[in-house]
Amino acid sequence: MLSLLLSSSSTTSLVLSFSEKLYLRSNSIRRALSSCIFTTTTTTMSINLQSHAFAGNPLKSKTPKAGDPLSPTQALETLKTRILEATHFPSSPDFKVLPFRKGRPLASSSDGTSDSSPNWHLGWLGLADFKDLLAKSEVELTGDSLVYLGSKAEDDVVYWAIDVSDEAKLVPELGSLRFSFVELRTLMVATDWADDDAMGQLAVAGHARALLEWHGISKFCGRCGEKTVPKEAGRRKQCSSELCKQRIYPRVDPVVIMLVIDRENNRALLSRQSRFVPRMWSCLAGFIEPGESLEEAVRRETWEETGIEVGEVIYHSSQPWPVGPSSIPCQLMVGFFAYAKSFEINVDKEELEDATWHCREDVKKALVAAEYKKAQKTAASKVEQMCKGVEKIQSFSADFNVESGELAPMLFPGPFAIAHHLISSWAFQDEAADGGHARLKKPSSSFSNL
């Protein structure tokens, strides 16, 4: 159903995929990436991926228990009191708000140096400052309009998100302060993967967007049709009807994404969709259907889209993916290696533009040619321009894939997507095995054959 430009990996798998030796055109130049340095023929990019993009949210590591001033319920009561205060007094805990407009978080950017690209930051506003901004727009702020994101006990801060899509007057006000509402996909590409803080901010923004989009599509009860009201500081909703009182929780849409492998002929099955940029190839993917196991979904989707029969299925890693359409607030990409039992391709043209087998050496060469760090720096510079009011263009697809020298015959999603790590893990399997890491060996505790 879906061939997506996605990527992911668990902490161990993701680090290993960049710890493997990279194949270079000159066989005399082979280098182990044990220090997480990704080397191409023309550029070096430091990678320190402790988790996938959108995973590793620093605000969700531990939710305070009820009664704690930083817990959702207690923080909401304090928030409502602060909103009603006519004056602003220093008090504990501190509240910070992240506004969103049409799915785009507020962001700012600091200038880069000759040695580094600009760094984007989420546009957190203090509650008092945000109240003042809304007052200028003649908008009333209520506690129910804010959604609890989490807290940091060490800083005594609680973080909130709010959708201000209907408040057009805020855009020039925030623009004068060098803030801009930036597409989350753009921030994803612009994120420096070696920067743990930036990766954490991206995860927070993804979580906030998913929650706000879910609030936007769950305004009415699916059981009786009455309006819903937020509960637990926006972490769930409830039907307002006294006869119904249906509890509603944020939805997660699981998607399997798989690299189909031909063991005997040392090649992998990659596909294209019509919406892909030229020469882009990625993994097969599709939504899981009710009453279906993950392994069954892998086999069904592969068969439906390409006519390939899959046998053994091995789990790789998973990744939250909150940058899909607003009607699907938060996809969870669940990544697998799938081993083919048949090899003749029969493409479903309604789902895919094309699907072909690619040998390992060609995939390696394409990975080596791609300058992912250059793409990241370019996107970061454009975010900086947007925050300065210089550029408002939101399409950055051309920056997702940049190659050095001659154009490579194919491209893959960047390190922000799980597809990249599935492909690169397989491509450098032999080098990793030489170093003592059996990348694709099935664990003895796996039940993937069931």
Side-chain angles (χ1 to χ4, degrees), residues 383-428:
V383 173
E384 180 188 31
Q385 290 177 325
M386 292 175 62
C387 292
K388 289 180 177 179
V390 175
E391 185 173 340
K392 298 296 181 183
I393 299 175
Q394 290 292 326
S395 177
F396 292 88
S397 60
D399 299 321
F400 286 8
N401 303 279
V402 183
E403 315 105 302
S404 60
E406 298 180 2
L407 291 178
M410 56 183 166
L411 304 166
F412 308 117
F416 47 77
I418 187 171
H420 177 95
H421 301 289
L422 287 168
I423 294 168
S424 63
S425 293
W426 169 78
F428 300 107

mmCIF file of all heavy atoms in Angstrom, residues 383-428:
data_model
loop_
_atom_site.group_PDB
_atom_site.id
_atom_site.type_symbol
_atom_site.label_atom_id
_atom_site.label_comp_id
_atom_site.label_asym_id
_atom_site.label_seq_id
_atom_site.Cartn_x
_atom_site.Cartn_y
_atom_site.Cartn_z
ATOM 1 N N VAL A 383 16.247 27.110 6.681
ATOM 2 C CA VAL A 383 15.459 27.397 7.880
ATOM 3 C C VAL A 383 15.880 28.742 8.460
ATOM 4 O O VAL A 383 15.040 29.557 8.872
ATOM 5 C CB VAL A 383 15.618 26.284 8.933
ATOM 6 C CG1 VAL A 383 14.941 26.675 10.244
ATOM 7 C CG2 VAL A 383 15.028 24.977 8.421
ATOM 8 N N GLU A 384 17.174 29.001 8.476
ATOM 9 C CA GLU A 384 17.674 30.279 8.964
ATOM 10 C C GLU A 384 17.103 31.431 8.135
ATOM 11 O O GLU A 384 16.681 32.459 8.682
ATOM 12 C CB GLU A 384 19.204 30.297 8.907
ATOM 13 C CG GLU A 384 19.803 31.605 9.414
ATOM 14 C CD GLU A 384 21.303 31.690 9.168
ATOM 15 O OE1 GLU A 384 21.765 31.113 8.170
ATOM 16 O OE2 GLU A 384 21.990 32.353 9.950
ATOM 17 N N GLN A 385 17.057 31.261 6.812
ATOM 18 C CA GLN A 385 16.502 32.304 5.950
ATOM 19 C C GLN A 385 15.030 32.539 6.251
ATOM 20 O O GLN A 385 14.564 33.683 6.275
ATOM 21 C CB GLN A 385 16.678 31.908 4.489
ATOM 22 C CG GLN A 385 18.125 31.936 4.002
ATOM 23 C CD GLN A 385 18.258 31.479 2.566
ATOM 24 O OE1 GLN A 385 17.532 30.591 2.118
ATOM 25 N NE2 GLN A 385 19.171 32.076 1.833
ATOM 26 N N MET A 386 14.297 31.461 6.465
ATOM 27 C CA MET A 386 12.876 31.600 6.770
ATOM 28 C C MET A 386 12.662 32.376 8.064
ATOM 29 O O MET A 386 11.771 33.224 8.150
ATOM 30 C CB MET A 386 12.238 30.221 6.871
ATOM 31 C CG MET A 386 12.168 29.465 5.559
ATOM 32 S SD MET A 386 11.541 27.797 5.776
ATOM 33 C CE MET A 386 9.905 28.132 6.395
ATOM 34 N N CYS A 387 13.477 32.080 9.073
ATOM 35 C CA CYS A 387 13.337 32.767 10.361
ATOM 36 C C CYS A 387 13.730 34.243 10.251
ATOM 37 O O CYS A 387 13.271 35.070 11.045
ATOM 38 C CB CYS A 387 14.179 32.062 11.424
ATOM 39 S SG CYS A 387 13.575 30.405 11.847
ATOM 40 N N LYS A 388 14.547 34.557 9.262
ATOM 41 C CA LYS A 388 14.898 35.954 9.005
ATOM 42 C C LYS A 388 13.867 36.646 8.117
ATOM 43 O O LYS A 388 13.963 37.840 7.859
ATOM 44 C CB LYS A 388 16.269 36.035 8.340
ATOM 45 C CG LYS A 388 17.438 35.702 9.261
ATOM 46 C CD LYS A 388 18.755 35.821 8.506
ATOM 47 C CE LYS A 388 19.945 35.564 9.433
ATOM 48 N NZ LYS A 388 21.237 35.652 8.700
ATOM 49 N N GLY A 389 12.912 35.852 7.611
ATOM 50 C CA GLY A 389 11.906 36.426 6.734
ATOM 51 C C GLY A 389 12.352 36.534 5.295
ATOM 52 O O GLY A 389 11.674 37.150 4.475
ATOM 53 N N VAL A 390 13.482 35.892 4.968
ATOM 54 C CA VAL A 390 14.030 35.999 3.614
ATOM 55 C C VAL A 390 13.327 35.044 2.674
ATOM 56 O O VAL A 390 13.076 35.370 1.524
ATOM 57 C CB VAL A 390 15.548 35.705 3.617
ATOM 58 C CG1 VAL A 390 16.105 35.702 2.199
ATOM 59 C CG2 VAL A 390 16.269 36.729 4.484
ATOM 60 N N GLU A 391 12.990 33.835 3.145
ATOM 61 C CA GLU A 391 12.434 32.807 2.275
ATOM 62 C C GLU A 391 11.300 32.094 2.980
ATOM 63 O O GLU A 391 11.396 31.771 4.152
ATOM 64 C CB GLU A 391 13.523 31.792 1.902
ATOM 65 C CG GLU A 391 13.067 30.761 0.900
ATOM 66 C CD GLU A 391 14.222 29.884 0.429
ATOM 67 O OE1 GLU A 391 15.376 30.296 0.567
ATOM 68 O OE2 GLU A 391 13.939 28.786 -0.072
ATOM 69 N N LYS A 392 10.218 31.879 2.232
ATOM 70 C CA LYS A 392 9.045 31.220 2.799
ATOM 71 C C LYS A 392 8.709 29.910 2.100
ATOM 72 O O LYS A 392 7.689 29.308 2.370
ATOM 73 C CB LYS A 392 7.824 32.154 2.708
ATOM 74 C CG LYS A 392 7.994 33.447 3.500
ATOM 75 C CD LYS A 392 8.120 33.187 4.979
ATOM 76 C CE LYS A 392 8.262 34.476 5.769
ATOM 77 N NZ LYS A 392 8.454 34.218 7.209
ATOM 78 N N ILE A 393 9.560 29.471 1.185
ATOM 79 C CA ILE A 393 9.286 28.241 0.450
ATOM 80 C C ILE A 393 9.382 27.049 1.387
ATOM 81 O O ILE A 393 10.327 26.919 2.139
ATOM 82 C CB ILE A 393 10.265 28.091 -0.727
ATOM 83 C CG1 ILE A 393 10.100 29.270 -1.704
ATOM 84 C CG2 ILE A 393 10.045 26.775 -1.456
ATOM 85 C CD1 ILE A 393 11.102 29.280 -2.822
ATOM 86 N N GLN A 394 8.404 26.134 1.307
ATOM 87 C CA GLN A 394 8.371 24.996 2.219
ATOM 88 C C GLN A 394 8.823 23.690 1.576
ATOM 89 O O GLN A 394 8.868 22.665 2.216
ATOM 90 C CB GLN A 394 6.949 24.811 2.761
ATOM 91 C CG GLN A 394 6.533 25.904 3.726
ATOM 92 C CD GLN A 394 7.313 25.856 5.018
ATOM 93 O OE1 GLN A 394 7.675 24.799 5.491
ATOM 94 N NE2 GLN A 394 7.582 26.990 5.595
ATOM 95 N N SER A 395 9.113 23.701 0.268
ATOM 96 C CA SER A 395 9.495 22.457 -0.409
ATOM 97 C C SER A 395 11.000 22.300 -0.424
ATOM 98 O O SER A 395 11.712 23.105 -1.000
ATOM 99 C CB SER A 395 8.968 22.454 -1.840
ATOM 100 O OG SER A 395 9.388 21.293 -2.515
ATOM 101 N N PHE A 396 11.475 21.232 0.209
ATOM 102 C CA PHE A 396 12.913 20.985 0.292
ATOM 103 C C PHE A 396 13.266 19.598 -0.249
ATOM 104 O O PHE A 396 14.308 19.065 0.042
ATOM 105 C CB PHE A 396 13.390 21.085 1.744
ATOM 106 C CG PHE A 396 13.306 22.489 2.289
ATOM 107 C CD1 PHE A 396 12.137 22.928 2.881
ATOM 108 C CD2 PHE A 396 14.370 23.358 2.182
ATOM 109 C CE1 PHE A 396 12.043 24.206 3.382
ATOM 110 C CE2 PHE A 396 14.276 24.644 2.684
ATOM 111 C CZ PHE A 396 13.112 25.070 3.279
ATOM 112 N N SER A 397 12.388 19.040 -1.073
ATOM 113 C CA SER A 397 12.624 17.681 -1.559
ATOM 114 C C SER A 397 13.921 17.587 -2.339
ATOM 115 O O SER A 397 14.591 16.558 -2.336
ATOM 116 C CB SER A 397 11.456 17.220 -2.429
ATOM 117 O OG SER A 397 11.286 18.070 -3.545
ATOM 118 N N ALA A 398 14.301 18.664 -3.018
ATOM 119 C CA ALA A 398 15.526 18.629 -3.812
ATOM 120 C C ALA A 398 16.762 18.518 -2.934
ATOM 121 O O ALA A 398 17.835 18.135 -3.399
ATOM 122 C CB ALA A 398 15.620 19.876 -4.684
ATOM 123 N N ASP A 399 16.629 18.875 -1.659
ATOM 124 C CA ASP A 399 17.780 18.844 -0.758
ATOM 125 C C ASP A 399 17.926 17.511 -0.038
ATOM 126 O O ASP A 399 18.903 17.286 0.650
ATOM 127 C CB ASP A 399 17.651 19.950 0.303
ATOM 128 C CG ASP A 399 17.621 21.322 -0.325
ATOM 129 O OD1 ASP A 399 18.366 21.535 -1.290
ATOM 130 O OD2 ASP A 399 16.841 22.155 0.147
ATOM 131 N N PHE A 400 16.941 16.636 -0.180
ATOM 132 C CA PHE A 400 16.997 15.363 0.548
ATOM 133 C C PHE A 400 18.142 14.486 0.070
ATOM 134 O O PHE A 400 18.676 13.692 0.798
ATOM 135 C CB PHE A 400 15.687 14.594 0.370
ATOM 136 C CG PHE A 400 14.543 15.175 1.151
ATOM 137 C CD1 PHE A 400 14.663 16.382 1.811
ATOM 138 C CD2 PHE A 400 13.335 14.511 1.219
ATOM 139 C CE1 PHE A 400 13.608 16.918 2.520
ATOM 140 C CE2 PHE A 400 12.279 15.037 1.928
ATOM 141 C CZ PHE A 400 12.423 16.248 2.576
ATOM 142 N N ASN A 401 18.504 14.629 -1.189
ATOM 143 C CA ASN A 401 19.508 13.749 -1.778
ATOM 144 C C ASN A 401 20.458 14.538 -2.653
ATOM 145 O O ASN A 401 20.058 15.140 -3.638
ATOM 146 C CB ASN A 401 18.830 12.663 -2.610
ATOM 147 C CG ASN A 401 17.851 11.872 -1.794
ATOM 148 O OD1 ASN A 401 18.234 10.980 -1.073
ATOM 149 N ND2 ASN A 401 16.581 12.235 -1.879
ATOM 150 N N VAL A 402 21.717 14.571 -2.262
ATOM 151 C CA VAL A 402 22.734 15.317 -2.998
ATOM 152 C C VAL A 402 23.916 14.400 -3.214
ATOM 153 O O VAL A 402 24.362 13.727 -2.304
ATOM 154 C CB VAL A 402 23.188 16.565 -2.205
ATOM 155 C CG1 VAL A 402 24.195 17.364 -3.017
ATOM 156 C CG2 VAL A 402 21.988 17.431 -1.841
ATOM 157 N N GLU A 403 24.425 14.349 -4.443
ATOM 158 C CA GLU A 403 25.573 13.494 -4.713
ATOM 159 C C GLU A 403 26.759 14.329 -5.166
ATOM 160 O O GLU A 403 26.607 15.439 -5.648
ATOM 161 C CB GLU A 403 25.281 12.462 -5.806
ATOM 162 C CG GLU A 403 23.962 11.771 -5.654
ATOM 163 C CD GLU A 403 22.947 12.287 -6.648
ATOM 164 O OE1 GLU A 403 22.688 13.494 -6.642
ATOM 165 O OE2 GLU A 403 22.447 11.494 -7.420
ATOM 166 N N SER A 404 27.922 13.763 -5.004
ATOM 167 C CA SER A 404 29.141 14.416 -5.461
ATOM 168 C C SER A 404 29.497 13.888 -6.844
ATOM 169 O O SER A 404 29.194 12.749 -7.190
ATOM 170 C CB SER A 404 30.295 14.117 -4.496
ATOM 171 O OG SER A 404 30.517 12.732 -4.420
ATOM 172 N N GLY A 405 30.150 14.728 -7.634
ATOM 173 C CA GLY A 405 30.645 14.284 -8.934
ATOM 174 C C GLY A 405 29.513 13.882 -9.859
ATOM 175 O O GLY A 405 28.497 14.555 -9.975
ATOM 176 N N GLU A 406 29.697 12.762 -10.568
ATOM 177 C CA GLU A 406 28.694 12.286 -11.499
ATOM 178 C C GLU A 406 27.440 11.833 -10.739
ATOM 179 O O GLU A 406 27.512 11.349 -9.631
ATOM 180 C CB GLU A 406 29.252 11.117 -12.307
ATOM 181 C CG GLU A 406 30.454 11.476 -13.169
ATOM 182 C CD GLU A 406 30.945 10.275 -13.947
ATOM 183 O OE1 GLU A 406 30.310 9.200 -13.830
ATOM 184 O OE2 GLU A 406 31.958 10.412 -14.647
ATOM 185 N N LEU A 407 26.293 12.004 -11.403
ATOM 186 C CA LEU A 407 25.047 11.586 -10.782
ATOM 187 C C LEU A 407 25.030 10.073 -10.613
ATOM 188 O O LEU A 407 25.294 9.327 -11.550
ATOM 189 C CB LEU A 407 23.860 12.023 -11.639
ATOM 190 C CG LEU A 407 23.584 13.523 -11.721
ATOM 191 C CD1 LEU A 407 22.415 13.780 -12.654
ATOM 192 C CD2 LEU A 407 23.307 14.098 -10.348
ATOM 193 N N ALA A 408 24.699 9.627 -9.421
ATOM 194 C CA ALA A 408 24.584 8.195 -9.169
ATOM 195 C C ALA A 408 23.321 7.680 -9.848
ATOM 196 O O ALA A 408 22.347 8.423 -10.009
ATOM 197 C CB ALA A 408 24.523 7.932 -7.676
ATOM 198 N N PRO A 409 23.301 6.424 -10.264
ATOM 199 C CA PRO A 409 22.119 5.893 -10.942
ATOM 200 C C PRO A 409 20.905 5.774 -10.039
ATOM 201 O O PRO A 409 19.783 5.643 -10.519
ATOM 202 C CB PRO A 409 22.585 4.509 -11.422
ATOM 203 C CG PRO A 409 23.717 4.147 -10.517
ATOM 204 C CD PRO A 409 24.397 5.432 -10.184
ATOM 205 N N MET A 410 21.132 5.812 -8.717
ATOM 206 C CA MET A 410 19.993 5.740 -7.810
ATOM 207 C C MET A 410 20.303 6.455 -6.498
ATOM 208 O O MET A 410 21.469 6.678 -6.153
ATOM 209 C CB MET A 410 19.601 4.288 -7.548
ATOM 210 C CG MET A 410 20.705 3.423 -7.006
ATOM 211 S SD MET A 410 20.140 1.702 -6.834
ATOM 212 C CE MET A 410 21.697 0.871 -6.616
ATOM 213 N N LEU A 411 19.234 6.805 -5.790
ATOM 214 C CA LEU A 411 19.315 7.507 -4.516
ATOM 215 C C LEU A 411 18.467 6.780 -3.490
ATOM 216 O O LEU A 411 17.543 6.047 -3.842
ATOM 217 C CB LEU A 411 18.797 8.939 -4.648
ATOM 218 C CG LEU A 411 19.439 9.845 -5.694
ATOM 219 C CD1 LEU A 411 18.573 11.070 -5.914
ATOM 220 C CD2 LEU A 411 20.830 10.243 -5.255
ATOM 221 N N PHE A 412 18.766 7.029 -2.207
ATOM 222 C CA PHE A 412 17.987 6.440 -1.115
ATOM 223 C C PHE A 412 17.609 7.533 -0.120
ATOM 224 O O PHE A 412 18.248 8.581 -0.050
ATOM 225 C CB PHE A 412 18.793 5.356 -0.397
ATOM 226 C CG PHE A 412 19.374 4.327 -1.320
ATOM 227 C CD1 PHE A 412 20.746 4.164 -1.440
ATOM 228 C CD2 PHE A 412 18.550 3.531 -2.097
ATOM 229 C CE1 PHE A 412 21.286 3.232 -2.300
ATOM 230 C CE2 PHE A 412 19.076 2.584 -2.961
ATOM 231 C CZ PHE A 412 20.447 2.433 -3.072
ATOM 232 N N PRO A 413 16.569 7.300 0.682
ATOM 233 C CA PRO A 413 16.234 8.254 1.744
ATOM 234 C C PRO A 413 17.431 8.499 2.652
ATOM 235 O O PRO A 413 18.288 7.628 2.821
ATOM 236 C CB PRO A 413 15.099 7.560 2.493
ATOM 237 C CG PRO A 413 14.493 6.637 1.488
ATOM 238 C CD PRO A 413 15.635 6.157 0.645
ATOM 239 N N GLY A 414 17.484 9.679 3.245
ATOM 240 C CA GLY A 414 18.594 10.040 4.126
ATOM 241 C C GLY A 414 18.512 9.371 5.483
ATOM 242 O O GLY A 414 17.553 8.641 5.793
ATOM 243 N N PRO A 415 19.503 9.628 6.341
ATOM 244 C CA PRO A 415 19.580 8.970 7.661
ATOM 245 C C PRO A 415 18.436 9.299 8.605
ATOM 246 O O PRO A 415 18.353 8.714 9.673
ATOM 247 C CB PRO A 415 20.914 9.494 8.223
ATOM 248 C CG PRO A 415 21.714 9.872 7.026
ATOM 249 C CD PRO A 415 20.718 10.403 6.045
ATOM 250 N N PHE A 416 17.568 10.229 8.221
ATOM 251 C CA PHE A 416 16.416 10.531 9.062
ATOM 252 C C PHE A 416 15.319 9.477 8.902
ATOM 253 O O PHE A 416 14.326 9.497 9.620
ATOM 254 C CB PHE A 416 15.839 11.907 8.714
ATOM 255 C CG PHE A 416 15.670 12.135 7.236
ATOM 256 C CD1 PHE A 416 14.623 11.566 6.540
ATOM 257 C CD2 PHE A 416 16.574 12.909 6.538
ATOM 258 C CE1 PHE A 416 14.472 11.758 5.193
ATOM 259 C CE2 PHE A 416 16.443 13.115 5.184
ATOM 260 C CZ PHE A 416 15.388 12.538 4.500
ATOM 261 N N ALA A 417 15.485 8.561 7.939
ATOM 262 C CA ALA A 417 14.435 7.588 7.645
ATOM 263 C C ALA A 417 14.897 6.164 7.929
ATOM 264 O O ALA A 417 16.049 5.814 7.697
ATOM 265 C CB ALA A 417 14.003 7.701 6.185
ATOM 266 N N ILE A 418 13.983 5.325 8.395
ATOM 267 C CA ILE A 418 14.330 3.942 8.712
ATOM 268 C C ILE A 418 14.744 3.172 7.468
ATOM 269 O O ILE A 418 15.572 2.263 7.518
ATOM 270 C CB ILE A 418 13.166 3.232 9.426
ATOM 271 C CG1 ILE A 418 13.594 1.842 9.906
ATOM 272 C CG2 ILE A 418 11.946 3.139 8.532
ATOM 273 C CD1 ILE A 418 12.566 1.166 10.808
ATOM 274 N N ALA A 419 14.179 3.547 6.312
ATOM 275 C CA ALA A 419 14.545 2.863 5.071
ATOM 276 C C ALA A 419 16.041 2.937 4.822
ATOM 277 O O ALA A 419 16.659 1.978 4.365
ATOM 278 C CB ALA A 419 13.784 3.476 3.890
ATOM 279 N N HIS A 420 16.633 4.081 5.129
ATOM 280 C CA HIS A 420 18.071 4.257 4.929
ATOM 281 C C HIS A 420 18.857 3.220 5.729
ATOM 282 O O HIS A 420 19.818 2.627 5.232
ATOM 283 C CB HIS A 420 18.483 5.661 5.358
ATOM 284 C CG HIS A 420 19.958 5.916 5.267
ATOM 285 N ND1 HIS A 420 20.543 6.511 4.166
ATOM 286 C CD2 HIS A 420 20.975 5.639 6.112
ATOM 287 C CE1 HIS A 420 21.852 6.583 4.350
ATOM 288 N NE2 HIS A 420 22.137 6.068 5.533
ATOM 289 N N HIS A 421 18.463 2.990 6.945
ATOM 290 C CA HIS A 421 19.216 2.105 7.828
ATOM 291 C C HIS A 421 18.970 0.629 7.501
ATOM 292 O O HIS A 421 19.865 -0.196 7.677
ATOM 293 C CB HIS A 421 18.891 2.432 9.279
ATOM 294 C CG HIS A 421 19.228 3.851 9.611
ATOM 295 N ND1 HIS A 421 20.513 4.298 9.722
ATOM 296 C CD2 HIS A 421 18.436 4.937 9.776
ATOM 297 C CE1 HIS A 421 20.509 5.603 9.981
ATOM 298 N NE2 HIS A 421 19.262 5.996 10.007
ATOM 299 N N LEU A 422 17.792 0.313 7.021
ATOM 300 C CA LEU A 422 17.565 -1.043 6.529
ATOM 301 C C LEU A 422 18.467 -1.328 5.333
ATOM 302 O O LEU A 422 19.128 -2.368 5.256
ATOM 303 C CB LEU A 422 16.097 -1.215 6.127
ATOM 304 C CG LEU A 422 15.066 -1.297 7.260
ATOM 305 C CD1 LEU A 422 13.655 -1.176 6.694
ATOM 306 C CD2 LEU A 422 15.217 -2.586 8.035
ATOM 307 N N ILE A 423 18.519 -0.370 4.407
ATOM 308 C CA ILE A 423 19.314 -0.555 3.190
ATOM 309 C C ILE A 423 20.802 -0.588 3.499
ATOM 310 O O ILE A 423 21.536 -1.462 3.030
ATOM 311 C CB ILE A 423 18.986 0.563 2.174
ATOM 312 C CG1 ILE A 423 17.539 0.430 1.689
ATOM 313 C CG2 ILE A 423 19.947 0.516 0.981
ATOM 314 C CD1 ILE A 423 17.024 1.631 0.918
ATOM 315 N N SER A 424 21.273 0.359 4.322
ATOM 316 C CA SER A 424 22.710 0.425 4.607
ATOM 317 C C SER A 424 23.172 -0.756 5.464
ATOM 318 O O SER A 424 24.285 -1.259 5.291
ATOM 319 C CB SER A 424 23.067 1.750 5.291
ATOM 320 O OG SER A 424 22.431 1.863 6.545
ATOM 321 N N SER A 425 22.319 -1.235 6.372
ATOM 322 C CA SER A 425 22.679 -2.395 7.192
ATOM 323 C C SER A 425 22.916 -3.617 6.314
ATOM 324 O O SER A 425 23.875 -4.372 6.514
ATOM 325 C CB SER A 425 21.585 -2.699 8.210
ATOM 326 O OG SER A 425 21.479 -1.673 9.165
ATOM 327 N N TRP A 426 22.019 -3.802 5.332
ATOM 328 C CA TRP A 426 22.191 -4.936 4.421
ATOM 329 C C TRP A 426 23.398 -4.730 3.496
ATOM 330 O O TRP A 426 24.190 -5.646 3.295
ATOM 331 C CB TRP A 426 20.936 -5.136 3.579
ATOM 332 C CG TRP A 426 21.147 -6.098 2.446
ATOM 333 C CD1 TRP A 426 21.182 -7.457 2.520
ATOM 334 C CD2 TRP A 426 21.384 -5.763 1.078
ATOM 335 N NE1 TRP A 426 21.418 -7.998 1.276
ATOM 336 C CE2 TRP A 426 21.546 -6.978 0.379
ATOM 337 C CE3 TRP A 426 21.467 -4.557 0.376
ATOM 338 C CZ2 TRP A 426 21.796 -7.010 -0.998
ATOM 339 C CZ3 TRP A 426 21.706 -4.580 -0.993
ATOM 340 C CH2 TRP A 426 21.875 -5.805 -1.660
ATOM 341 N N ALA A 427 23.562 -3.525 2.983
ATOM 342 C CA ALA A 427 24.620 -3.262 2.015
ATOM 343 C C ALA A 427 26.002 -3.549 2.586
ATOM 344 O O ALA A 427 26.884 -4.064 1.896
ATOM 345 C CB ALA A 427 24.546 -1.814 1.532
ATOM 346 N N PHE A 428 26.199 -3.243 3.869
ATOM 347 C CA PHE A 428 27.515 -3.403 4.482
ATOM 348 C C PHE A 428 27.553 -4.593 5.441
ATOM 349 O O PHE A 428 28.371 -4.654 6.342
ATOM 350 C CB PHE A 428 27.912 -2.113 5.199
ATOM 351 C CG PHE A 428 27.988 -0.942 4.263
ATOM 352 C CD1 PHE A 428 27.012 0.036 4.293
ATOM 353 C CD2 PHE A 428 29.005 -0.848 3.333
ATOM 354 C CE1 PHE A 428 27.061 1.106 3.417
ATOM 355 C CE2 PHE A 428 29.067 0.223 2.454
ATOM 356 C CZ PHE A 428 28.091 1.197 2.488
#
